[in-house]
Amino acid sequence: MNKEIRNWEEKEGAKFLKRIGIKPGQKVLDFGARVGHYSIPAAAVVGNKGKVYALDKNKDPLNELKRKAAEQRLENITLVKTNGSLKTGLENSSVDAALAYDVLHLIDDRKKLYREIHRVLQKNGLFSAYPKHNKLDQPEQSLKNLEPKDIIREIEADGFYFEKEHCGLISHDDFLNKGCVLNFRKKENLLRGRK
Ligand SMILES: C[S@@+](CC[C@H](N)C(=O)[O-])C[C@H]1O[C@@H](n2cnc3c(N)ncnc32)[C@H](O)[C@@H]1O
């Protein structure tokens, strides 16, 4: 692991996650966790009373995440290996926050993912998305024709209201880049515009 990403996992990532609203004691789903560049700092922020569900459809990165968590004696990360179906296997209203960072471009049926995140989030829960690879930022795959404002609109149409954008020098792949995450809150009512 290079120096800047190590520093991110050990220090800067936790600062950023606190800034976006992750708190001690919370349960956090990291959807598409890969090797844990966000799960590891999230585990440090939520602490022993909290939990991070690090979910991915690929086994190898999860094994690497497991190795790092053990090395850092982080005992509050639960690995969730899926078959890519967008079902998390978590209980209804069981998490305080869900991260979908640098993964939306890889998902074709994003509506299904938003509905699943809505289901597992508790009342007023935080959904934080990092829509890397949108039309304005190295466009790729399913986000290539969408700007952040379009992504906000589609997430708002699926049971959330937009709260705030948080920008900074954040982890992407195995480096840091300037990026912005979009924070949403769960609406109880799936109808648009109603909290
Ligand atoms: C580009 S990486 C982002 C990793 C991490 N969120 C980060 O920002 O450092 C995307 C990850 O999402 C996972 N992924 C893609 N589609 C998925 C799906 N349908 N279900 C679960 N994981 C998925 C990939 O296996 C990969 O590990």
Side-chain angles (χ1 to χ4, degrees):
M1 194 168 28
N2 68 53
K3 225 168 126 189
E4 75 176 10
I5 209 75
R6 184 181 293 273
N7 188 49
W8 168 265
E9 283 194 358
E10 290 176 359
K11 265 200 199 141
E12 297 304 318
K15 282 191 208 161
F16 184 74
L17 291 173
K18 280 185 199 163
R19 178 147 78 84
I20 68 142
I22 305 299
K23 296 187 170 65
Q26 287 189 330
K27 292 195 173 79
V28 177
L29 166 64
D30 184 10
F31 188 94
R34 197 175 149 246
V35 295
H37 292 332
Y38 288 93
S39 297
I40 297 266
V45 175
V46 300
N48 286 340
K49 292 192 174 138
K51 184 177 271 202
V52 175
Y53 297 99
L55 179 150
D56 209 285
K57 65 177 182 178
N58 283 324
K59 188 166 60 88
D60 290 350
L62 287 181
N63 283 339
E64 169 65 4
L65 200 169
K66 187 177 174 183
R67 189 196 62 72
K68 288 192 289 186
E71 192 179 89
Q72 295 179 40
R73 295 170 201 264
L74 290 167
E75 291 172 357
N76 56 353
I77 300 180
T78 299
L79 303 179
V80 183
K81 158 79 179 69
T82 67
N83 60 6
S85 73
L86 307 180
K87 290 198 178 124
T88 63
L90 301 178
E91 300 280 320
N92 288 349
S93 310
S94 59
V95 301
D96 303 283
L99 313 178
Y101 283 3
D102 188 24
V103 65
L104 295 182
H105 63 293
L106 300 172
I107 311 279
D108 290 325
D109 192 353
R110 290 187 303 283
K111 193 175 192 58
K112 192 169 172 190
L113 176 62
Y114 303 149
R115 291 286 167 105
E116 175 66 357
I117 287 176
H118 190 275
R119 184 187 70 75
V120 301
L121 274 177
Q122 62 149 264
K123 195 171 178 186
N124 203 37
L126 171 68
F127 173 28
S128 187
Y130 176 25
K132 182 75 185 174
H133 303 300
N134 68 71
K135 192 176 177 181
L136 307 182
D137 186 6
Q138 298 175 26
E140 265 182 33
Q141 291 168 269
S142 80
L143 294 188
K144 68 176 185 290
N145 295 320
L146 299 179
E147 295 187 16
K149 66 174 167 44
D150 305 315
I151 297 159
I152 290 174
R153 204 174 302 129
E154 71 170 25
I155 295 178
E156 284 202 316
D158 272 310
F160 298 90
Y161 64 92
F162 178 57
E163 187 181 58
K164 198 172 187 295
E165 180 181 61
H166 294 271
C167 299
L169 196 58
I170 61 176
S171 166
H172 172 247
D173 289 342
D174 296 319
F175 297 93
L176 301 187
N177 72 179
K178 279 188 193 158
C180 297
V181 307
L182 306 173
N183 270 11
F184 298 84
R185 291 280 164 185
K186 173 177 173 170
K187 280 190 303 196
E188 284 315 296
N189 190 328
L190 279 174
L191 293 176
R192 205 181 178 110
R194 303 255 304 268
K195 292 187 188 178

PDB file of all heavy atoms in Angstrom, residues 97-114:
ATOM      1  N   ALA A  97     -26.104   4.335   8.473  1.00  0.00           N
ATOM      2  CA  ALA A  97     -25.531   5.008   7.306  1.00  0.00           C
ATOM      3  C   ALA A  97     -25.143   3.972   6.264  1.00  0.00           C
ATOM      4  O   ALA A  97     -24.760   2.845   6.606  1.00  0.00           O
ATOM      5  CB  ALA A  97     -24.300   5.823   7.713  1.00  0.00           C
ATOM      6  N   ALA A  98     -25.246   4.365   4.999  1.00  0.00           N
ATOM      7  CA  ALA A  98     -24.806   3.498   3.901  1.00  0.00           C
ATOM      8  C   ALA A  98     -23.934   4.326   2.966  1.00  0.00           C
ATOM      9  O   ALA A  98     -24.295   5.454   2.603  1.00  0.00           O
ATOM     10  CB  ALA A  98     -26.005   2.938   3.140  1.00  0.00           C
ATOM     11  N   LEU A  99     -22.794   3.757   2.608  1.00  0.00           N
ATOM     12  CA  LEU A  99     -21.894   4.401   1.650  1.00  0.00           C
ATOM     13  C   LEU A  99     -21.968   3.633   0.334  1.00  0.00           C
ATOM     14  O   LEU A  99     -21.935   2.393   0.336  1.00  0.00           O
ATOM     15  CB  LEU A  99     -20.441   4.353   2.140  1.00  0.00           C
ATOM     16  CG  LEU A  99     -20.148   4.740   3.593  1.00  0.00           C
ATOM     17  CD1 LEU A  99     -18.644   4.570   3.881  1.00  0.00           C
ATOM     18  CD2 LEU A  99     -20.588   6.172   3.871  1.00  0.00           C
ATOM     19  N   ALA A 100     -22.046   4.374  -0.774  1.00  0.00           N
ATOM     20  CA  ALA A 100     -21.913   3.743  -2.103  1.00  0.00           C
ATOM     21  C   ALA A 100     -20.895   4.605  -2.836  1.00  0.00           C
ATOM     22  O   ALA A 100     -21.244   5.569  -3.520  1.00  0.00           O
ATOM     23  CB  ALA A 100     -23.251   3.693  -2.831  1.00  0.00           C
ATOM     24  N   TYR A 101     -19.628   4.277  -2.622  1.00  0.00           N
ATOM     25  CA  TYR A 101     -18.533   5.114  -3.106  1.00  0.00           C
ATOM     26  C   TYR A 101     -17.854   4.471  -4.306  1.00  0.00           C
ATOM     27  O   TYR A 101     -17.366   3.335  -4.219  1.00  0.00           O
ATOM     28  CB  TYR A 101     -17.513   5.326  -1.972  1.00  0.00           C
ATOM     29  CG  TYR A 101     -17.957   6.350  -0.931  1.00  0.00           C
ATOM     30  CD1 TYR A 101     -19.201   6.980  -0.995  1.00  0.00           C
ATOM     31  CD2 TYR A 101     -17.109   6.696   0.119  1.00  0.00           C
ATOM     32  CE1 TYR A 101     -19.583   7.922  -0.054  1.00  0.00           C
ATOM     33  CE2 TYR A 101     -17.482   7.647   1.069  1.00  0.00           C
ATOM     34  CZ  TYR A 101     -18.718   8.253   0.970  1.00  0.00           C
ATOM     35  OH  TYR A 101     -19.094   9.185   1.908  1.00  0.00           O
ATOM     36  N   ASP A 102     -17.813   5.231  -5.402  1.00  0.00           N
ATOM     37  CA  ASP A 102     -17.137   4.774  -6.620  1.00  0.00           C
ATOM     38  C   ASP A 102     -17.648   3.405  -7.064  1.00  0.00           C
ATOM     39  O   ASP A 102     -16.872   2.543  -7.464  1.00  0.00           O
ATOM     40  CB  ASP A 102     -15.606   4.733  -6.358  1.00  0.00           C
ATOM     41  CG  ASP A 102     -14.819   4.459  -7.621  1.00  0.00           C
ATOM     42  OD1 ASP A 102     -15.333   4.743  -8.721  1.00  0.00           O
ATOM     43  OD2 ASP A 102     -13.684   3.959  -7.513  1.00  0.00           O
ATOM     44  N   VAL A 103     -18.935   3.232  -6.966  1.00  0.00           N
ATOM     45  CA  VAL A 103     -19.509   1.946  -7.369  1.00  0.00           C
ATOM     46  C   VAL A 103     -20.748   2.130  -8.247  1.00  0.00           C
ATOM     47  O   VAL A 103     -21.089   1.246  -9.038  1.00  0.00           O
ATOM     48  CB  VAL A 103     -19.809   1.066  -6.116  1.00  0.00           C
ATOM     49  CG1 VAL A 103     -20.887   1.677  -5.232  1.00  0.00           C
ATOM     50  CG2 VAL A 103     -20.197  -0.348  -6.494  1.00  0.00           C
ATOM     51  N   LEU A 104     -21.388   3.300  -8.176  1.00  0.00           N
ATOM     52  CA  LEU A 104     -22.655   3.480  -8.916  1.00  0.00           C
ATOM     53  C   LEU A 104     -22.472   3.286 -10.417  1.00  0.00           C
ATOM     54  O   LEU A 104     -23.365   2.773 -11.092  1.00  0.00           O
ATOM     55  CB  LEU A 104     -23.248   4.871  -8.642  1.00  0.00           C
ATOM     56  CG  LEU A 104     -23.699   5.152  -7.206  1.00  0.00           C
ATOM     57  CD1 LEU A 104     -24.310   6.544  -7.107  1.00  0.00           C
ATOM     58  CD2 LEU A 104     -24.685   4.100  -6.715  1.00  0.00           C
ATOM     59  N   HIS A 105     -21.303   3.672 -10.943  1.00  0.00           N
ATOM     60  CA  HIS A 105     -21.082   3.521 -12.392  1.00  0.00           C
ATOM     61  C   HIS A 105     -21.060   2.059 -12.819  1.00  0.00           C
ATOM     62  O   HIS A 105     -21.212   1.749 -14.002  1.00  0.00           O
ATOM     63  CB  HIS A 105     -19.772   4.216 -12.813  1.00  0.00           C
ATOM     64  CG  HIS A 105     -18.542   3.630 -12.194  1.00  0.00           C
ATOM     65  ND1 HIS A 105     -18.277   3.705 -10.840  1.00  0.00           N
ATOM     66  CD2 HIS A 105     -17.510   2.934 -12.737  1.00  0.00           C
ATOM     67  CE1 HIS A 105     -17.128   3.097 -10.588  1.00  0.00           C
ATOM     68  NE2 HIS A 105     -16.645   2.616 -11.717  1.00  0.00           N
ATOM     69  N   LEU A 106     -20.863   1.160 -11.857  1.00  0.00           N
ATOM     70  CA  LEU A 106     -20.783  -0.274 -12.171  1.00  0.00           C
ATOM     71  C   LEU A 106     -22.145  -0.959 -12.073  1.00  0.00           C
ATOM     72  O   LEU A 106     -22.259  -2.156 -12.306  1.00  0.00           O
ATOM     73  CB  LEU A 106     -19.796  -0.956 -11.205  1.00  0.00           C
ATOM     74  CG  LEU A 106     -18.357  -0.416 -11.246  1.00  0.00           C
ATOM     75  CD1 LEU A 106     -17.521  -1.019 -10.122  1.00  0.00           C
ATOM     76  CD2 LEU A 106     -17.722  -0.704 -12.603  1.00  0.00           C
ATOM     77  N   ILE A 107     -23.152  -0.192 -11.673  1.00  0.00           N
ATOM     78  CA  ILE A 107     -24.475  -0.766 -11.433  1.00  0.00           C
ATOM     79  C   ILE A 107     -25.429  -0.295 -12.533  1.00  0.00           C
ATOM     80  O   ILE A 107     -25.577   0.909 -12.755  1.00  0.00           O
ATOM     81  CB  ILE A 107     -25.036  -0.287 -10.061  1.00  0.00           C
ATOM     82  CG1 ILE A 107     -24.007  -0.470  -8.935  1.00  0.00           C
ATOM     83  CG2 ILE A 107     -26.382  -0.914  -9.735  1.00  0.00           C
ATOM     84  CD1 ILE A 107     -23.877  -1.823  -8.359  1.00  0.00           C
ATOM     85  N   ASP A 108     -26.092  -1.236 -13.184  1.00  0.00           N
ATOM     86  CA  ASP A 108     -27.061  -0.841 -14.213  1.00  0.00           C
ATOM     87  C   ASP A 108     -28.416  -0.525 -13.581  1.00  0.00           C
ATOM     88  O   ASP A 108     -29.032   0.480 -13.895  1.00  0.00           O
ATOM     89  CB  ASP A 108     -27.204  -1.958 -15.266  1.00  0.00           C
ATOM     90  CG  ASP A 108     -25.934  -2.044 -16.103  1.00  0.00           C
ATOM     91  OD1 ASP A 108     -25.329  -0.983 -16.367  1.00  0.00           O
ATOM     92  OD2 ASP A 108     -25.520  -3.167 -16.461  1.00  0.00           O
ATOM     93  N   ASP A 109     -28.856  -1.394 -12.678  1.00  0.00           N
ATOM     94  CA  ASP A 109     -30.160  -1.172 -12.052  1.00  0.00           C
ATOM     95  C   ASP A 109     -29.964  -0.416 -10.728  1.00  0.00           C
ATOM     96  O   ASP A 109     -30.124  -0.969  -9.639  1.00  0.00           O
ATOM     97  CB  ASP A 109     -30.845  -2.535 -11.826  1.00  0.00           C
ATOM     98  CG  ASP A 109     -32.300  -2.375 -11.458  1.00  0.00           C
ATOM     99  OD1 ASP A 109     -32.750  -1.219 -11.253  1.00  0.00           O
ATOM    100  OD2 ASP A 109     -32.995  -3.394 -11.363  1.00  0.00           O
ATOM    101  N   ARG A 110     -29.638   0.874 -10.874  1.00  0.00           N
ATOM    102  CA  ARG A 110     -29.351   1.647  -9.647  1.00  0.00           C
ATOM    103  C   ARG A 110     -30.597   1.835  -8.798  1.00  0.00           C
ATOM    104  O   ARG A 110     -30.519   1.928  -7.584  1.00  0.00           O
ATOM    105  CB  ARG A 110     -28.730   3.004 -10.000  1.00  0.00           C
ATOM    106  CG  ARG A 110     -27.303   2.884 -10.540  1.00  0.00           C
ATOM    107  CD  ARG A 110     -26.657   4.243 -10.716  1.00  0.00           C
ATOM    108  NE  ARG A 110     -27.408   5.108 -11.585  1.00  0.00           N
ATOM    109  CZ  ARG A 110     -27.424   5.018 -12.922  1.00  0.00           C
ATOM    110  NH1 ARG A 110     -26.687   4.111 -13.525  1.00  0.00           N
ATOM    111  NH2 ARG A 110     -28.152   5.841 -13.653  1.00  0.00           N
ATOM    112  N   LYS A 111     -31.741   1.869  -9.440  1.00  0.00           N
ATOM    113  CA  LYS A 111     -33.009   2.014  -8.701  1.00  0.00           C
ATOM    114  C   LYS A 111     -33.146   0.887  -7.667  1.00  0.00           C
ATOM    115  O   LYS A 111     -33.537   1.117  -6.530  1.00  0.00           O
ATOM    116  CB  LYS A 111     -34.167   1.955  -9.700  1.00  0.00           C
ATOM    117  CG  LYS A 111     -35.490   2.382  -9.157  1.00  0.00           C
ATOM    118  CD  LYS A 111     -36.511   2.384 -10.288  1.00  0.00           C
ATOM    119  CE  LYS A 111     -37.796   3.068  -9.926  1.00  0.00           C
ATOM    120  NZ  LYS A 111     -37.694   4.439  -9.508  1.00  0.00           N
ATOM    121  N   LYS A 112     -32.791  -0.323  -8.089  1.00  0.00           N
ATOM    122  CA  LYS A 112     -32.873  -1.486  -7.207  1.00  0.00           C
ATOM    123  C   LYS A 112     -31.930  -1.295  -5.998  1.00  0.00           C
ATOM    124  O   LYS A 112     -32.278  -1.614  -4.869  1.00  0.00           O
ATOM    125  CB  LYS A 112     -32.492  -2.735  -8.000  1.00  0.00           C
ATOM    126  CG  LYS A 112     -32.790  -4.021  -7.306  1.00  0.00           C
ATOM    127  CD  LYS A 112     -32.634  -5.184  -8.273  1.00  0.00           C
ATOM    128  CE  LYS A 112     -32.750  -6.503  -7.542  1.00  0.00           C
ATOM    129  NZ  LYS A 112     -32.374  -7.631  -8.377  1.00  0.00           N
ATOM    130  N   LEU A 113     -30.753  -0.757  -6.282  1.00  0.00           N
ATOM    131  CA  LEU A 113     -29.800  -0.516  -5.190  1.00  0.00           C
ATOM    132  C   LEU A 113     -30.339   0.553  -4.237  1.00  0.00           C
ATOM    133  O   LEU A 113     -30.272   0.405  -3.016  1.00  0.00           O
ATOM    134  CB  LEU A 113     -28.437  -0.084  -5.760  1.00  0.00           C
ATOM    135  CG  LEU A 113     -27.396   0.294  -4.700  1.00  0.00           C
ATOM    136  CD1 LEU A 113     -27.065  -0.902  -3.800  1.00  0.00           C
ATOM    137  CD2 LEU A 113     -26.120   0.824  -5.347  1.00  0.00           C
ATOM    138  N   TYR A 114     -30.893   1.641  -4.778  1.00  0.00           N
ATOM    139  CA  TYR A 114     -31.415   2.706  -3.910  1.00  0.00           C
ATOM    140  C   TYR A 114     -32.545   2.175  -3.030  1.00  0.00           C
ATOM    141  O   TYR A 114     -32.641   2.513  -1.857  1.00  0.00           O
ATOM    142  CB  TYR A 114     -31.933   3.895  -4.741  1.00  0.00           C
ATOM    143  CG  TYR A 114     -30.920   4.517  -5.671  1.00  0.00           C
ATOM    144  CD1 TYR A 114     -31.312   5.105  -6.870  1.00  0.00           C
ATOM    145  CD2 TYR A 114     -29.560   4.525  -5.359  1.00  0.00           C
ATOM    146  CE1 TYR A 114     -30.393   5.684  -7.743  1.00  0.00           C
ATOM    147  CE2 TYR A 114     -28.630   5.093  -6.229  1.00  0.00           C
ATOM    148  CZ  TYR A 114     -29.055   5.665  -7.422  1.00  0.00           C
ATOM    149  OH  TYR A 114     -28.136   6.222  -8.274  1.00  0.00           O
TER     150      TYR A 114
END
